[in-house]
Every structure is written in structure tokens, then in C-alpha cells.
Amino acid sequence: MENTDYSKSAALLERARKVMAGGVSSEFRKMNYPHAMFYTHGKGSRIYDADGNEYLDFTLSQGPLILGHSHPAVAEAVTAYSAQGQLFAGQHIREIELAEKLNELIPSAELLRFCLDGSEAVHTAFRVARAKTGRKKFLRFEGHFHGWLDNVSWGLSTPSAEALGDRENPNVYPWSAGLPESTREEFMILPWNDLELVKTVVARHHQDLAAVITEPVMCNNGCILPAEGFLQGLREICTQYNIALIFDEVITGFRLGLGGAQAYFGIRPDISIFAKALASGYPISAIVGKKDWMDVIEQSKVIHAGTMNSSNATIAAALTTIKVLQQENPYPRMFNLGQKLMQGLREAAGKHHHKMLVQGPGPMFTIAFTEQTEIKDYRDTLIPDKQLLGKFIAGMHRKGIRIIGRGLWYISAVHTEDDIKQAIKTASEVLAEL
Ligand code: PMP
């Protein structure tokens, strides 16, 4: 059955536009099909829009819903703990329990602080790294997303692949108007997955570098695993020059396993950031790190604050999400279902004579229409046919399958074998029509 009626969503969008800029609360929500959409409810692997259309959801609301929509245990815990209070402007026992749990699960965790979202936890990490090293800049990688704040809203867009220029000294473009030019001075940028290049540049500029920040799996453009030895190489360089290695685990955390990418790859960063899948859609993030780095917060040299931090609802959501993940251990299943879906999509593309690259570890992966056999960095992600991808995603959406607009799929603990079969069958139909 095809979804054809979006009239209620369209009318709501028109109404919203009169009072909300662009009708949405986050820029990315504009990028839906056929326009920014309104939803009424979600249950398990399904979400329903204002017109009553049903979608099998592989967006998981951009990643947080690792337990699917409206998980009953999370809803119950949030209700129960909120009934005791919302926010105390003081500490409460459950946040210690959550911190203890994170310390037990995350290999590099010794001290942590809770924040509201990934962006501000990244911001805190830079402050810690600068305070500790006395240096000013951070090194980041092309196409990696670390939130929407000023000093990371660069290097995410480019007029063309050629416009990026020299690999050792890339051209960088702002992602937004209104960025202070001075924020361009805060970072150096390089293509990802090229250890020799990082070694050369860090050897030359280490006196200026407080931190190297990376997504341990590059998920915001493509879904790219680190090259053999790349993360280990970053670890060694950062140790050599006393630079903070920051893993931005906003996506990989609780998605590749309970210990995040650092447990999956066996590399210990100095500082890491967890958000999204930590709390099933409630606004909480954590900056976790080794004591040697985080002690500047302990000693009040670095100020980290926030009125809304560690509210009862968010802590209850995180504790319960982790409890369910620990009890059920859905990870082997998520990897398996993801791999099955990836293989099914490859076969469907082959059957209908489309060159489609399907890449990623399984719990998350991307598709791209391209002759390329592997995508290794941001520059590679600029080659595939984005228009065709848009048509495919629109076609899937019409047939009730929801995928993130850049071709990213997330698998949850509640997706089933039947869901995977349905997605592959639908993809085959859409690919036949393209
Ligand atoms: N880092 C990464 C890797 C992300 O994917 C995101 C969000 N997509 C962020 C940071 C920012 O997190 P938030 O949207 O919670 O501020």
C-alpha cells in the first residue's frame, strides 16, 4: 500500500511556518519527504504521521531510539521518577548510579559530567583540552559532524569536490552564515583515514594542538570504518605530543555495543562524548574521560554548568535504556539483522542493474548510488549520485519505509526479521521503478 495523502502534515507545516522559523525545531527536519512532516505517535519499529500513514522506521529519530519508539520500561521509569520531582538544582542518587554504570561500561571512563546534548558536551571537551594543555587549536576531519556550534560548523559542506583543494592544507567552507571568522582560527582540518598525513601535520603543529577530535566511525557523511591502524595511530600521536584524543561517540555510543566504539576497536581516548542512544530520546549527554584530563572540572578550573543537567526524567531514561540493553544484549542480533539487510539491498540493486554501494558495520550503514567499491573519506562521499539517492528515499517513504536523507539506516533492538524482509522487498520494488 502506498502513502499518498500528506495533506494534514502539509496544513500543519503551513500553520507552523507562521510561528516557527521554517516550521521546524531543527534544520535537519526540513529535509524530509515530501516536506517537513508531522508525526502523532511511534510504537516499536513503527512511526505514524499526522495523516495516519505508517512507516517502518530506520531513522530511529536520528539515532536515539535504540529500543524503538515508546519502549514501555523507559516510559514507566520516566513517569515514576518524574513523580518524585523534576529538577533539584542539586544532586540525586540516580545520577550517581548512572555515572557508576557508565564508568563500569565505558573503558576510558574515570570521571564524567552530564550535559543536555552532544553539541555542548563537545564544547566542554574542547574547554577541558585547552585548559589542560595550554594550547588553542583542535584538529578535526573533513565531513565529521560534532554538533552545530560555531567552531565546528565548518568543513561540512563544499561547493564541489575540487573546491576542497590540497589534502594537506584543505579549503574550508562555513556551514552557516553568522559564524565569527575567529572560529576558523580554532581548528585545523584534514581528510580522514590518512594516518601519514595526520602524522606529518601534527609533527609540524603540535605546539598549537590541544585536541584531535574524531568520530570513531564516520557516520555523518557515509558510514566509514576507520582504516586498519588509523585510530591506534591517532592514539599514539596524541600520547606522544600530549594532545587530548577525543572520540565523539554521539552515534557509535551504545550502538556498536555498551562500551561504544572504544570497546569495539580496543582504543582508549582521553575524552569521549556520549549522547543519542544513551537515553532513548531524552535530552542527556555525557562527557567522560580519564581523571588526568577531567580533573580540571573537578578543581573548578574549567567551568561546566547547566540549569537543566541531569533532570530526573533524563537520568531515569538513561538508566532504564542501559538496563534493558544489558538484560537483552541485542547487539549480536542488531549486527546480524543489519548485515542481512545490507546484503539484501546489494542483491536487490544488482537484480535491477543499479550500482549501489552498501557500507557500514551493520547496526548503522549507508547506501550510495555509485560505481565506487569503497568510500574512505568525505571527498569520496561527494562522488555518488545524490539525486538518485533522493528518488530512492522518496520512493521508499511513499511505500512506508523511513530512512535518513543522506542514505543512513539505523537498526534498533526491536526490528525483526520480518521488518528486514519488508525493507528489502520494498527496496527491490523501488529500485525496479527508478
Ligand atoms: N556529534 C556527532 C557525531 C553527531 O552525530 C551529532 C548529532 N548528529 C552531534 C555530535 C551533536 O549532537 P546533538 O545533536 O545532540 O547536539
Side-chain angles (χ1 to χ4, degrees):
M1 203 182 67
E2 299 223 352
N3 298 329
T4 49
D5 185 8
Y6 304 106
S7 55
K8 290 202 176 85
S9 256
L12 288 169
L13 181 59
E14 207 178 304
R15 179 175 153 201
R17 275 199 182 120
K18 294 189 180 132
V19 284
M20 298 168 67
V24 297
S25 297
S26 169
E27 185 64 18
F28 296 109
R29 296 182 193 171
K30 285 184 187 163
M31 298 157 203
N32 209 330
Y33 177 85
H35 44 66
M37 295 285 288
F38 288 78
Y39 299 90
T40 52
H41 60 292
K43 185 84 196 132
S45 62
R46 316 277 153 158
I47 184 167
Y48 301 84
D49 72 19
D51 291 276
N53 300 311
E54 177 181 297
Y55 304 87
L56 173 53
D57 191 8
F58 290 96
T59 73
L60 305 186
S61 300
Q62 298 281 357
L65 301 184
I66 192 151
L67 300 180
H69 292 271
S70 312
H71 193 284
V74 175
E76 210 174 285
V78 167
T79 307
Y81 204 36
S82 299
Q84 295 178 23
Q86 291 73 49
L87 192 63
F88 300 133
Q91 304 308 118
H92 52 112
I93 294 171
R94 293 273 167 88
E95 63 188 296
I96 314 177
E97 289 171 13
L98 179 59
E100 286 169 347
K101 183 55 80 182
L102 294 177
N103 267 25
E104 172 194 316
L105 294 172
I106 299 166
S108 69
E110 290 175 4
L111 284 178
L112 63 78
R113 273 283 174 100
F114 295 118
C115 311
L116 289 183
D117 62 22
S119 299
E120 62 174 29
V122 166
H123 195 64
T124 314
F126 290 149
R127 199 178 269 190
V128 166
R130 286 184 173 124
K132 204 72 200 178
T133 60
R135 304 180 201 138
K136 290 195 177 126
K137 294 195 184 198
F138 58 91
L139 172 65
R140 58 161 303 174
F141 298 100
E142 288 175 345
H144 284 222
F145 187 78
H146 301 296
W148 66 281
L149 301 185
D150 287 352
N151 58 4
V152 287
S153 289
W154 298 82
L156 294 162
S157 54
T158 174
S160 68
E162 299 71 46
L164 287 169
D166 180 25
R167 289 176 67 81
E168 196 172 320
N169 197 10
N171 296 320
V172 188
Y173 299 89
W175 182 47
S176 167
L179 301 180
E181 267 302 314
S182 60
T183 58
R184 173 64 192 93
E185 304 303 314
E186 290 187 32
F187 66 92
M188 305 182 65
I189 191 161
L190 290 175
W192 198 53
N193 254 345
D194 187 340
L195 188 58
E196 288 311 310
L197 196 55
V198 177
K199 278 186 185 164
T200 308
V201 169
V202 173
R204 208 173 291 147
H205 297 282
H206 63 91
Q207 302 90 333
D208 298 328
L209 284 173
V212 172
I213 186 166
T214 186
E215 293 182 58
V217 179
M218 180 172 170
C219 295
N220 278 290
N221 277 291
C223 188
I224 311 173
L225 286 164
E228 185 70 36
F230 182 72
L231 295 178
Q232 179 62 33
L234 292 185
R235 178 62 283 172
E236 284 161 16
I237 296 166
C238 287
T239 303
Q240 183 182 350
Y241 294 108
N242 190 32
I243 297 168
L245 177 61
I246 304 174
F247 275 8
D248 181 342
E249 296 234 36
V250 166
I251 290 181
T252 51
F254 297 92
R255 172 143 294 281
L256 287 181
L258 290 165
Q262 53 198 269
Y264 186 74
F265 295 114
I267 310 287
R268 291 190 186 197
D270 298 302
I271 301 171
S272 38
I273 312 299
F274 289 80
K276 293 200 193 262
L278 169 61
S280 293
Y282 285 82
I284 185 168
S285 61
I287 163 177
V288 317
K290 294 185 182 161
K291 187 171 174 8
D292 279 356
W293 291 88
M294 295 293 286
D295 61 7
V296 281
I297 301 183
E298 193 178 26
Q299 296 152 4
S300 301
K301 287 184 186 155
V302 162
I303 301 301
H304 157 266
T307 304
M308 308 294 255
N309 291 351
S310 71
S311 67
N312 285 19
T314 63
I315 297 286
L319 271 173
T320 310
T321 302
I322 295 173
K323 190 169 151 200
V324 174
L325 289 171
Q326 275 198 303
Q327 275 168 355
E328 294 182 2
N329 185 19
Y331 294 103
R333 238 185 101 251
M334 283 164 55
F335 272 86
N336 183 269
L337 288 182
Q339 292 288 345
K340 269 191 190 156
L341 178 51
M342 290 169 72
Q343 189 51 27
L345 291 171
R346 283 187 195 110
E347 285 166 15
K351 187 165 132 206
H352 298 294
H353 312 292
H354 287 287
K355 295 280 178 206
M356 188 164 88
L357 179 64
V358 186
Q359 185 175 307
M364 69 286 202
F365 65 88
T366 44
I367 53 170
F369 289 90
T370 181
E371 304 266 342
Q372 294 154 285
T373 53
E374 193 185 356
I375 287 182
K376 296 202 203 82
D377 66 13
Y378 176 58
R379 295 177 184 225
D380 285 350
T381 68
L382 301 171
I383 298 168
D385 186 337
K386 298 266 172 22
Q387 268 193 337
L388 196 54
L389 177 65
K391 282 188 190 157
F392 174 77
I393 290 176
M396 292 292 277
H397 191 268
R398 218 169 24 246
K399 290 176 186 284
I401 311 270
R402 193 169 173 236
I403 310 158
I404 294 176
R406 59 182 190 276
L408 186 71
W409 303 57
Y410 283 122
I411 307 294
S412 75
V414 297
H415 280 114
T416 62
E417 296 272 352
D418 281 348
D419 291 337
I420 301 307
K421 282 186 198 141
Q422 183 186 337
I424 296 169
K425 182 170 168 288
T426 308
S428 188
E429 291 165 17
V430 173
L431 287 161
E433 288 166 13
L434 277 187

